[in-house]
Amino acid sequence: MKIIHPLPLNQKNFQPFGKVISFAHLDHYPINQGTTERYHAISEIDVGDGDSKAIISLFRGQPFAIPFTLRLMERHPLGTQTFIPTNNQTSDQYLIVVSKPHLESEVDIVNNLCAFIASNGAGVTYNKGVWHHPLISLNKESDFIVIDRANMQNNCDEIQLSQQVIIDSA
Amino acid sequence: MKIIHPLPLNQKNFQPFGKVISFAHLDHYPINQGTTERYHAISEIDVGDGDSKAIISLFRGQPFAIPFTLRLMERHPLGTQTFIPTNNQTSDQYLIVVSKPHLESEVDIVNNLCAFIASNGAGVTYNKGVWHHPLISLNKESDFIVIDRANMQNNCDEIQLSQQVIIDSA
């Protein structure tokens, strides 16, 4: 049995897996005659080559609790995938579980797992091919904006875990 | 002087200008072993041809009040632009002012103005080239996710209005 303790989410520790979308972003400037502050280009959207487009969807996720038992991981080799919470009370949290891209075996994926607790309305973009767990809202039903590739054909690999992995608080 | 009364925002009345991003979207289905409901592909992102990418930014908008005096309109000919509120209390509202694309004169733009009140967390995508006013949060500072074209060069036309136009409640 493997136990993983989640870290707080920030740009530095999430860097190997993608981008954190939050007002902590450093590149910002006034627009609209000074009435709006633009936190600019926090994340690119890259849905790969071919004829697919990027789309915007909404996800409504049922709540889970920590400790959380991991049963599978998935990845989208052809495109980034972005999650941004919309009904974000400061206290709302969700759990992110990722592993590095370019790994193929369960042993390698499990050995490189990292978990993060996202809060304060922060979103994330998973880089292309980053192994991640599907949405894990914590404690209450939560709504997310999701930006990903329109055509999911050949764009979702899934691996069932035979080893027991538990995400538990530090 | 021209006075425009805003309409409630819904997919049907906003159709000439773009898409409304909300949980009223009809195409939804369960994913993630039934733990998430996906409201699918509510809006496409289209940043046009060439070498530009779509990006995600955050906007923090200062508050305005109704009646609101219109001084300018702008359009982005090379790409869609999406606004989705993130700190959405049910009571939060913002004001949308649009006109049809492919209009070039102030008289035509003003004669085709429509205003909408957005609430309940609904977002909007402006189609390519749709004339719109910059962000108008109502009553309190508000945060938005914005998805648009990375390269704004040649992608923002602006027109100053000489005619007085006021958006006022019905």
Side-chain angles (χ1 to χ4, degrees):
Chain A
M1 193 178 77
K2 188 179 169 79
I3 297 180
I4 295 173
H5 302 299
L7 304 170
L9 180 72
N10 61 53
Q11 205 65 266
K12 190 174 173 191
N13 62 20
F14 196 67
Q15 190 275 331
F17 313 106
K19 289 281 175 63
V20 176
I21 298 165
S22 81
F23 285 99
H25 186 65
L26 294 178
D27 180 11
H28 58 98
Y29 47 85
I31 59 170
N32 300 344
Q33 295 77 49
T35 65
T36 300
E37 191 73 9
R38 180 176 181 128
Y39 294 73
H40 180 66
I42 300 174
S43 172
E44 286 191 347
I45 299 163
D46 182 357
V47 295
D49 306 321
D51 58 358
S52 190
K53 288 195 171 172
I55 52 169
I56 301 168
S57 302
L58 295 173
F59 281 19
R60 178 156 281 171
Q62 293 174 17
F64 293 90
I66 288 178
F68 179 84
T69 302
L70 223 59
R71 302 189 190 283
L72 61 84
M73 296 285 282
E74 67 178 33
R75 66 175 173 188
H76 308 304
L78 301 180
T80 56
Q81 189 176 43
T82 299
F83 288 82
I84 309 175
T86 60
N87 51 355
N88 54 313
Q89 306 303 307
T90 307
S91 59
D92 287 359
Q93 298 187 324
Y94 61 103
L95 181 59
I96 293 167
V97 187
V98 286
S99 189
K100 294 180 183 162
H102 311 302
L103 302 175
E104 299 300 331
S105 75
E106 178 183 343
V107 170
D108 284 346
I109 293 167
V110 167
N111 284 342
N112 288 280
L113 286 173
C114 284
F116 299 92
I117 297 276
S119 59
N120 293 310
V124 288
T125 295
Y126 299 123
N127 288 344
K128 277 184 186 176
V130 163
W131 287 104
H132 60 276
H133 191 277
L135 187 57
I136 314 169
S137 303
L138 290 177
N139 306 323
K140 54 174 254 194
E141 184 181 80
S142 299
D143 296 338
F144 290 78
I145 297 159
V146 176
I147 303 158
D148 59 10
R149 192 175 195 260
N151 185 353
M152 269 287 171
Q153 215 171 11
N154 306 320
N155 191 27
C156 193
D157 300 331
E158 195 176 288
I159 188 165
Q160 303 286 331
L161 303 189
S162 56
Q163 186 184 344
Q164 194 174 14
V165 180
I166 294 173
I167 315 294
D168 204 354
S169 43
Chain B
M1 192 179 76
K2 187 178 169 81
I3 297 179
I4 294 173
H5 302 299
L7 305 169
L9 179 72
N10 61 51
Q11 204 65 267
K12 190 175 174 188
N13 62 19
F14 196 67
Q15 191 275 331
F17 313 106
K19 288 283 173 62
V20 176
I21 298 166
S22 81
F23 285 100
H25 187 65
L26 295 177
D27 180 10
H28 59 98
Y29 48 84
I31 59 170
N32 300 344
Q33 296 77 48
T35 64
T36 300
E37 192 74 11
R38 180 177 180 127
Y39 294 73
H40 181 66
I42 299 173
S43 172
E44 285 190 351
I45 298 163
D46 183 357
V47 293
D49 305 321
D51 57 0
S52 191
K53 287 194 171 173
I55 51 169
I56 301 168
S57 301
L58 296 173
F59 281 19
R60 178 158 281 169
Q62 291 174 19
F64 294 90
I66 289 177
F68 179 85
T69 302
L70 221 57
R71 303 190 189 283
L72 61 85
M73 295 287 280
E74 66 178 33
R75 66 175 171 186
H76 309 303
L78 301 180
T80 56
Q81 190 176 43
T82 300
F83 288 82
I84 310 176
T86 60
N87 51 357
N88 54 312
Q89 307 302 307
T90 307
S91 58
D92 288 358
Q93 297 186 326
Y94 60 103
L95 181 59
I96 293 165
V97 186
V98 286
S99 189
K100 292 180 185 163
H102 312 303
L103 301 175
E104 299 299 331
S105 76
E106 178 182 342
V107 171
D108 285 346
I109 292 168
V110 167
N111 284 340
N112 287 280
L113 285 173
C114 284
F116 299 93
I117 296 275
S119 58
N120 292 310
V124 288
T125 295
Y126 299 123
N127 288 343
K128 275 183 188 179
V130 164
W131 287 104
H132 61 277
H133 191 278
L135 187 57
I136 315 168
S137 303
L138 290 177
N139 306 322
K140 56 175 252 193
E141 183 181 81
S142 301
D143 297 337
F144 290 78
I145 297 157
V146 176
I147 302 157
D148 59 10
R149 193 175 194 263
N151 186 353
M152 269 288 173
Q153 215 172 12
N154 305 318
N155 191 28
C156 191
D157 300 333
E158 195 176 286
I159 187 165
Q160 304 285 331
L161 303 188
S162 56
Q163 187 182 346
Q164 194 174 17
V165 181
I166 294 171
I167 313 295
D168 205 355
S169 42

